[in-house]
Amino acid sequence: MLALAGFLGRHAVAEAWRWLGWWHWVVLPLLVALAGVCAVLLGPPPSPAQLDAERQRQLAQARAAVREEAEALREVSPQQFVLLVSRSLRRDGWADAHVDPRDPSGMLVVARRGGASLLVRCHHHPVKRVVALEVAELVGARASYPGAIAVIATTSDFAATALVSARDFGVVPMDGEDVSRWLALGAAAWPATATA
């Protein structure tokens, strides 16, 4: 404004200011805001080092969240684990996620999204691995839900024979690390083979 006043003369700027009347209280802040937005948009893009530092920070946050989730899983009961899986499935867009009332163990969660069905056998144990028999039981339960995606989610891990059975029967295995990552990070961490 001072440069403009020097160029046009003080009297011309005063006349223009008076002519604008109350509009100068609206126009001037808008021009200042527009100049600020332009300065931000036209500023230099972040450097590769800055982008890398931001990615590293996000990765560290994600790892910390997964570690916290893994520690929290050790404290929950099997029934709480089933409820946590059901709630997380609903968070990720699976409707009507509930415990299958026909399952005597109370550890099978059924969920639906669109025309797809999902069965998640919950296995909560600090050290006991999922064995091939549990995979076979889930395959048997899947017979009641034709075309359903079958998943075994455990807080521990899988015996080698269980992994072979899971592969052979199209069951998606999620070990404790997979489950912790999914609970902490959401649908983006859900195994690609279990999406519909």
Side-chain angles (χ1 to χ4, degrees), residues 34-55:
L34 182 61
V37 168
C38 287
V40 169
L41 292 177
L42 298 175
S47 69
Q50 289 171 323
L51 291 173
D52 190 48
E54 178 62 19
R55 276 194 294 270

Side-chain angles (χ1 to χ4, degrees), residues 26-107:
V26 174
V27 173
L28 189 60
L30 285 175
L31 289 175
V32 170
L34 182 61
V37 168
C38 287
V40 169
L41 292 177
L42 298 175
S47 69
Q50 289 171 323
L51 291 173
D52 190 48
E54 178 62 19
R55 276 194 294 270
Q56 293 297 329
R57 186 186 66 76
Q58 291 174 350
L59 186 59
Q61 283 180 333
R63 285 181 180 149
V66 171
R67 272 194 308 273
E68 287 174 20
E69 196 62 56
E71 290 170 11
L73 279 179
R74 292 188 193 107
E75 304 300 321
V76 300
S77 70
Q79 291 75 25
Q80 289 170 325
F81 180 56
V82 172
L83 292 174
L84 184 58
V85 167
S86 299
R87 191 167 46 242
S88 299
L89 288 170
R90 286 192 294 272
R91 171 201 68 190
D92 293 347
W94 289 91
D96 190 31
H98 64 279
V99 175
D100 185 348
R102 295 174 291 184
D103 180 54
S105 71
M107 301 297 281

Side-chain angles (χ1 to χ4, degrees), residues 69-179:
E69 196 62 56
E71 290 170 11
L73 279 179
R74 292 188 193 107
E75 304 300 321
V76 300
S77 70
Q79 291 75 25
Q80 289 170 325
F81 180 56
V82 172
L83 292 174
L84 184 58
V85 167
S86 299
R87 191 167 46 242
S88 299
L89 288 170
R90 286 192 294 272
R91 171 201 68 190
D92 293 347
W94 289 91
D96 190 31
H98 64 279
V99 175
D100 185 348
R102 295 174 291 184
D103 180 54
S105 71
M107 301 297 281
L108 182 64
V109 176
V110 180
R112 290 178 178 80
R113 179 166 59 195
S117 296
L118 176 72
L119 301 178
V120 181
R121 167 71 67 193
C122 299
H123 177 271
H124 184 282
H125 199 280
V127 291
K128 185 183 171 202
R129 296 176 152 190
V130 174
V131 295
L133 178 62
E134 292 170 278
V135 175
E137 289 171 354
L138 178 57
V139 171
R142 186 171 58 184
S144 302
Y145 298 91
I149 299 165
V151 177
I152 293 185
T154 180
T155 54
S156 57
D157 61 1
F158 291 81
T161 54
L163 287 173
V164 170
S165 292
R167 186 191 66 228
D168 291 346
F169 290 105
V171 173
V172 180
M174 289 179 69
D175 64 18
E177 187 177 326
D178 295 331
V179 170

